[in-house]
Amino acid sequence: MIDLRSDTVTKPSAAMREAMASAEVGDDVFGEDPTVIALEKRLASLFGHEAGLFCPSGTMTNQIAVNIHTRPGDEVICDEGAHIYRYEGGGVMATSGCSVKLLSSDRGRFTADQVEAAINDRNAQWLANTSLVNIENTCNRGGGAIWNIAEVDRINTVCRKHGLGIHMDGARIFNAMAESGESPLEWGKRFDTISICLSKGLGAPAGSVLVGSNKMMAQARRVRKRLGGGMRQAGILAAAGLYALDHHVERLKDDHARAQRLEAVLLELPGVKDLMPVETNIIIFSLQQDQDAASFCAKLKELGILAMAIGPSQIRMVLHLDVGDGSIEQIKLALLRIAK
Ligand SMILES: *Cc1c(COP(=O)(O)O)cnc(C)c1O
């Protein structure tokens, strides 16, 4: 089976398992796991932040960020397709007691003007207190769209002016950087906190890191414990993350090139419409005449390919390190057979 449902399906390679098996470990709740500390330090300094916090998942790093930037009753500004809102079990509402102000945008990328217009008047006691803006880069529901750093700058200025926090859900920030060429430092300085996933395109079995100031990460550490994310000999997992940073960053461009080869095939298929421009490793398209996405995926499955229906007639395919060039030919043939 060629699994294109998500870039989370990758399995740790033999070399990654080797690195995990030989990791030096300690009790991370006591702050004694050298491998976790090394991973946190490495990502924090890469993005120009003071400290990092290793967590089991990107949902946890995002939800901790929301929690430390807000108080119950506050409001968070994000895109209507944002992962923090759609795919984290209602955490913004349940874990932090916040409401969301949802923006409609260009595939997940809203503007500074939209943010400014969405901030509630602080003098109006009857309105929720707006305290945080969330930017997702790349945008998952936006077909892996990359943010323009100049617009992020303008949003950052709006946030400073109104005293709002600014968080990046950077689950796929390394995919964005592989294409746009900006450095982690350039992204880092425009955000108060950034969540970075190791278990997506980077290929680790689990783990995300939140980076920010020493003060914010001290608060974050308490919230992580409260949520049950304080792991003990977590260096075994952190070692996979360090291995991924050493070996799986450069190759992200290969996934993007493969996604573009499939984009070229899909553009020619009469049964396909609304193909989002492929910018990174995610491909999203719809079927003509609102054909049923689930049955399209079932036909693909018979031909050995797994894709994901993300709407009644919308399909997502994601490239990752377990899908090589050889598989692209097979996917192409399967698509030609069924998408008539
Ligand atoms: C996958 C993902 C996350 C984190 O998901 P987990 O499965 O909890 O690690 C966060 N944001 C985006 C945009 C994602 O795609």
Side-chain angles (χ1 to χ4, degrees), residues 57-120:
S57 71
T59 296
M60 191 177 282
T61 42
N62 277 335
Q63 292 302 326
I64 289 174
V66 170
N67 194 265
I68 61 176
H69 280 288
T70 61
R71 302 178 68 175
D74 281 0
E75 190 156 89
V76 178
I77 296 175
C78 64
D79 182 75
E80 63 190 355
H83 196 279
I84 64 157
Y85 166 65
R86 280 201 184 219
Y87 303 124
E88 299 188 0
V92 175
M93 294 64 84
T95 308
S96 296
C98 292
S99 58
V100 284
K101 180 90 99 217
L102 301 176
L103 305 179
S104 300
S105 72
D106 169 30
R107 296 195 290 137
R109 298 163 301 185
F110 42 82
T111 65
D113 288 345
Q114 281 182 287
V115 171
E116 190 138 37
I119 299 169
N120 289 336

Side-chain angles (χ1 to χ4, degrees), residues 52-269:
L53 184 70
F54 184 57
C55 292
S57 71
T59 296
M60 191 177 282
T61 42
N62 277 335
Q63 292 302 326
I64 289 174
V66 170
N67 194 265
I68 61 176
H69 280 288
T70 61
R71 302 178 68 175
D74 281 0
E75 190 156 89
V76 178
I77 296 175
C78 64
D79 182 75
E80 63 190 355
H83 196 279
I84 64 157
Y85 166 65
R86 280 201 184 219
Y87 303 124
E88 299 188 0
V92 175
M93 294 64 84
T95 308
S96 296
C98 292
S99 58
V100 284
K101 180 90 99 217
L102 301 176
L103 305 179
S104 300
S105 72
D106 169 30
R107 296 195 290 137
R109 298 163 301 185
F110 42 82
T111 65
D113 288 345
Q114 281 182 287
V115 171
E116 190 138 37
I119 299 169
N120 289 336
D121 178 1
R122 275 211 208 293
N123 297 319
Q125 54 175 311
W126 48 89
L127 297 177
N129 177 52
T130 309
S131 54
L132 176 66
V133 173
N134 172 71
I135 285 179
E136 188 173 309
N137 198 17
T138 65
C139 313
N140 184 349
R141 285 285 311 186
I146 301 171
W147 273 82
N148 177 325
I149 204 160
E151 196 59 41
V152 173
D153 252 346
R154 289 189 275 274
I155 294 174
N156 176 285
T157 303
V158 170
C159 289
R160 298 285 165 254
K161 179 174 147 200
H162 294 271
L164 310 186
I166 180 167
H167 170 70
M168 187 206 282
D169 177 355
R172 296 187 182 82
I173 183 59
F174 280 99
N175 293 83
M177 291 189 296
E179 288 305 315
S180 69
E182 282 122 7
S183 69
L185 282 178
E186 285 175 278
W187 283 110
K189 71 181 181 202
R190 290 167 169 90
F191 290 89
D192 297 318
T193 49
I194 302 181
S195 158
I196 304 137
C197 282
L198 299 158
S199 63
K200 297 281 168 73
L202 295 181
S208 282
V209 173
L210 185 67
V211 300
S213 67
N214 282 328
K215 187 166 170 243
M216 292 205 106
M217 291 308 102
Q219 280 175 272
R221 202 167 284 276
R222 170 165 281 119
V223 180
R224 181 184 72 174
K225 188 73 180 108
R226 183 184 299 152
L227 297 176
M231 300 184 286
R232 302 296 175 167
Q233 285 72 39
I236 297 227
L237 290 171
L242 285 167
Y243 181 90
L245 291 174
D246 286 334
H247 300 278
H248 294 166
V249 173
E250 294 296 318
R251 59 155 307 286
L252 289 172
K253 274 185 100 66
D254 302 345
D255 295 338
H256 303 170
R258 289 180 188 123
Q260 274 157 17
R261 282 173 62 194
L262 291 179
E263 177 187 34
V265 175
L266 289 162
L267 276 171
E268 297 300 316
L269 290 183

